[in-house]
Amino acid sequence: MIKPVVLLCATACLTYVPYVFLGFWNRVFGGWGTVFYCYAGEARFITAYAPPWAIDIFRWRPSPIGVMRQDGVRGIVLASPLTEAEFLNPENAAQFTALQRRITRIARLLGADQIALAGILPGVLKNSPHIPSTDSRDIVVKAVLSATRHLSENHALDPNIILLGGAGHVGQALRPALEAAGHAVSVVDPAANTREFPSHLKGTPCLLIDVARKGVVEKYLDQLWPGMVMLNETFPSPSRKTISALTAKGIQVWHLSGVAGSVTPPLPYGYEDAVPCCAARMPEGAMDVKLVRLGA
């Protein structure tokens, strides 16, 4: 029943009229502050965002799929049945620009003060003149630090941390924050010319933090060892096959679902019962995050 209702709302919002009315309400009563845009990422996830017959209709026209709430502020969740390859294809440059402008216009009509982007888009669009998006790295870093403290306190972990994807958009900001918190950080990332896990940590109960792109950890399974704890911040959460392989090695796998809050209806593939870190607003005080044990 949920999918037909979402599809009906999304269809009604192909025009800007509903956003005009919601914006009027927001300017009078307040409470709406964020527009969050997410996308399917891979072809196999597209049907979670739109039925096959609607894919072409919504592909480059972000439409609402839900409402989120965090710290008393509501936000609208927009989505498209798009893959990363389609975003990055130069042949789609005009459509990609139109998509950014549509998101920006929706935010302005609503009177929202934050545009948040999922996946690779914060890095891809950080200098775009078409969309004034919020750089979510500080929020993600704070969430990962909170999750790291929780796991370190509850699992007697070594202070050494292996950061998978440490040369990426989030990883570059996360590494110094972890070091400032007293951790020794070893980056594993081909972009930093480090493709091997540090041999001197072999066998130690260290924490592996994955902020790389989806599926990267699968390439390193043969380098992992029992006693490690893995914290996954990557979307989507690892596949069942990968989780089984990790747990078979004696590795605990924890998924950072996001910041305490709600999305209605829940987002698929690892964001249940939380607002994704990339969509969250920076709290004034401590950040309450949701961790889920995978494969337990």
Side-chain angles (χ1 to χ4, degrees):
M1 186 63 187
I2 293 177
K3 281 190 176 181
V5 172
V6 170
L7 184 60
L8 181 62
C9 292
T11 302
C13 291
L14 286 173
T15 70
Y16 291 105
V17 173
Y19 303 112
V20 172
F21 283 100
L22 185 55
F24 175 77
W25 174 276
N26 193 33
R27 286 170 176 83
V28 174
F29 299 103
W32 292 83
T34 301
V35 169
F36 172 51
Y37 173 70
C38 57
Y39 57 94
E42 293 182 10
R44 62 194 177 105
F45 297 138
I46 283 180
T47 54
Y49 288 80
W53 60 266
I55 290 173
D56 288 338
I57 297 174
F58 293 101
R59 190 183 303 276
W60 295 103
R61 303 177 74 178
S63 299
I65 63 167
V67 173
M68 61 186 189
R69 186 179 180 90
Q70 178 210 350
D71 290 342
V73 179
R74 291 185 294 271
I76 188 168
V77 183
L78 303 177
S80 300
L82 280 165
T83 66
E84 291 183 355
E86 288 173 305
F87 285 130
L88 301 176
N89 188 341
E91 295 181 1
N92 295 329
Q95 295 98 314
F96 192 21
T97 296
L99 177 145
Q100 296 170 55
R101 288 175 172 164
R102 177 174 172 82
I103 296 170
T104 300
R105 186 174 182 185
I106 289 172
R108 288 173 178 167
L109 290 173
L110 287 176
D113 62 1
Q114 174 173 292
I115 296 176
L117 304 171
I120 65 170
L121 292 182
V124 171
L125 297 178
K126 61 182 178 181
N127 296 317
S128 172
H130 308 297
I131 185 166
S133 59
T134 300
D135 189 340
S136 60
R137 285 189 300 178
D138 289 345
I139 299 170
V140 176
V141 166
K142 189 168 184 177
V144 173
L145 287 176
S146 178
T148 298
R149 284 194 297 271
H150 175 82
L151 293 175
S152 297
E153 291 170 359
N154 288 278
H155 296 279
L157 296 175
D158 191 276
N160 290 291
I161 286 178
I162 299 173
L163 184 57
L164 186 60
H169 182 67
V170 171
Q172 290 181 49
L174 180 57
R175 179 180 183 176
L178 289 167
E179 291 175 338
H183 298 282
V185 181
S186 299
V187 169
V188 177
D189 194 320
N193 294 318
T194 51
R195 301 173 183 272
E196 302 294 325
F197 274 53
S199 58
H200 70 282
L201 295 181
K202 188 80 172 181
T204 64
C206 63
L207 179 65
L208 166 62
I209 301 178
D210 183 7
V211 294
R213 297 181 69 173
K214 55 187 175 298
V216 170
V217 70
E218 297 169 4
K219 302 176 183 179
Y220 294 92
L221 290 176
D222 61 340
Q223 296 189 44
L224 307 184
W225 55 85
M228 300 179 79
V229 173
M230 175 179 161
L231 171 61
N232 176 75
E233 194 278 326
T234 301
F235 173 81
S237 53
S239 66
R240 291 182 180 179
K241 181 179 179 181
T242 300
I243 295 170
S244 295
L246 289 165
T247 54
K249 280 179 167 283
I251 298 170
Q252 284 193 29
V253 185
W254 292 83
H255 175 59
L256 177 55
S257 289
V259 178
S262 64
V263 181
T264 307
L267 294 172
Y269 305 113
Y271 282 153
E272 292 82 359
D273 301 322
V275 172
C277 296
C278 56
R281 302 175 71 89
M282 182 67 79
E284 294 182 3
M287 180 173 284
D288 184 11
V289 298
K290 182 173 179 58
L291 283 169
V292 178
R293 174 82 180 273
L294 302 180

